[in-house]
Amino acid sequence: MKTDDLISMLATGVTPVDQHVVSRRFAIAIAAGAAVAILLMASTLHFRADLADVAVTPLFWAKVALPLSLLLGALWMVTRLARPGMDTRACWPGISVPFAAVWLGAAYVLAGTPTGERAAAILGQTWNVCPFAIAMLSVPAFIAVFWALRGLAPTRLRLAGAVGGLLSGAVATLAYCLHCPEMGVAFWGVWYVLGMLVPTVIGAMLGHRLLQW
């Protein structure tokens, strides 16, 4: 077969690449994961009774800012990891800065808290429920995010799995904020972070197996 014939054969039936396939798949995954997480939260944990009142306070939105900023940072990074050869160095601050901000805020709050009250500020009232609840609520988004990744072409599978897990944890934490009564920065800096790290670690462990292509 001549070279020109081979090129013609390979080019036959080639269709243009959909430039929006990555954003569309992740939009579907996040919307589906968030919707199911909220339904799951409403049916098992329930919305906090004073949500309408607390939702107008700056502290509530400071709480929401942690998972929301991590969601955006993880989404930016995972959409680049979903395509071979994409540089992700510029994405790291989108993940590291929210963690650093909540830990600095927690340190500031604890520095002004009497020594005997610091443990209570960290533990709150629901420390033994919070991370497990977030991990549970992350399952729908975890499945949806990995569905999105499997339809694309990630090459750094463990990292893609970890960031995908963090993305699902952030979605779950946003849903959990609608239930959680805790309003302490120190609490969020420990237990919200721990809850989001559970799907992150699981994603890193399973990334090579689930995302291999």
Side-chain angles (χ1 to χ4, degrees), residues 69-85:
S69 58
L70 285 170
L71 187 157
L72 295 175
L75 178 61
W76 181 24
M77 189 168 185
V78 81
T79 54
R80 296 184 69 81
L81 287 167
R83 292 170 286 187

Side-chain angles (χ1 to χ4, degrees), residues 45-125:
L45 302 172
H46 310 299
F47 291 96
R48 58 181 295 173
D50 61 345
L51 181 60
D53 296 326
V54 77
V56 300
T57 64
L59 192 57
F60 175 80
W61 292 105
K63 174 166 70 170
V64 169
L66 172 62
L68 180 60
S69 58
L70 285 170
L71 187 157
L72 295 175
L75 178 61
W76 181 24
M77 189 168 185
V78 81
T79 54
R80 296 184 69 81
L81 287 167
R83 292 170 286 187
M86 297 295 287
D87 189 356
T88 59
R89 286 176 293 182
C91 302
W92 284 104
I95 292 176
S96 59
V97 168
F99 284 123
V102 74
W103 288 333
L104 286 173
Y108 176 80
V109 169
L110 290 175
T113 302
T115 304
E117 299 176 12
R118 288 175 183 171
I122 294 172
L123 295 176
Q125 298 177 343

Side-chain angles (χ1 to χ4, degrees), residues 168-187:
S168 66
V171 171
T173 305
L174 276 174
Y176 185 69
C177 284
L178 303 177
H179 160 79
C180 180
E182 305 289 353
M183 300 298 285
V185 180
F187 181 92

